[in-house]
Amino acid sequence: MKIQFLHTAIIFSLSVLFFSCSGKDTTPIPQPEPYTEQPSPQPVEAPVPPVSDNTSSDPGLKLIEGADCLACHKIDAKLIGPSYQDVAAKYTDADIDQLAQKIIEGGKGNWGDIPMPPHDGLNKDNAKQMVKYILSLKKQ
């Protein structure tokens, strides 16, 4: 039995060796083209985003960037909550106190069913600065 297994293994090994060596691929290996000077592509200038009067030196923006606001809001597009430009379009400077209080207490219903969480650690003056910045984004 051992001899029959040994003969089978030898025949199998020789077959594999024979077939692996006999079927060599005769496709030539591609050689790189000789170097020819080609004009280098000209860089394309990226469009410059519009410059806003509201720079990152605005204290309200700095407070927004330091809080968790940007996780749910963007300046010009709805994310989870409304965009700041949409908020600015809906409210006026007369609503600063009300909006500051809404930031501190949180709320639901003005912009849909997703609630805005409260920001208890935020004082009223800082919330007002944030609201003033947001209202300054009103499209003209």
Side-chain angles (χ1 to χ4, degrees):
M1 184 78 169
K2 285 185 181 181
I3 292 179
Q4 184 181 7
F5 175 74
L6 187 57
H7 284 200
T8 306
I10 290 172
I11 291 171
F12 178 73
S13 299
L14 290 174
S15 299
V16 170
L17 182 62
F18 174 73
F19 286 115
S20 66
C21 293
S22 67
K24 292 198 183 228
D25 186 36
T26 58
T27 306
I29 298 173
Q31 298 297 319
E33 295 286 327
Y35 178 75
T36 58
E37 190 165 333
Q38 298 175 356
S40 60
Q42 296 299 319
V44 177
E45 290 187 32
V48 177
V51 177
S52 169
D53 293 340
N54 305 306
T55 64
S56 61
S57 65
D58 187 288
L61 176 58
K62 286 186 179 192
L63 289 167
I64 287 171
E65 291 173 338
D68 63 349
C69 305
L70 297 176
C72 297
H73 300 279
K74 288 179 75 174
I75 289 176
D76 57 354
K78 178 179 180 4
L79 195 55
I80 293 171
S83 73
Y84 288 143
Q85 288 177 341
D86 289 343
V87 173
K90 185 174 181 177
Y91 296 99
T92 66
D93 288 345
D95 301 311
I96 290 176
D97 286 328
Q98 171 198 352
L99 292 174
Q101 197 62 37
K102 180 70 83 170
I103 291 172
I104 294 169
E105 294 176 356
K108 174 180 158 182
N110 291 346
W111 296 94
D113 291 332
I114 299 175
M116 181 173 74
H119 299 85
D120 299 332
L122 194 61
N123 70 44
K124 185 96 175 201
D125 289 333
N126 286 348
K128 284 182 179 181
Q129 285 185 331
M130 295 164 93
V131 171
K132 288 176 184 176
Y133 169 75
I134 293 167
L135 293 180
S136 74
L137 300 173
K138 189 177 300 251
K139 292 181 183 179
Q140 300 184 15

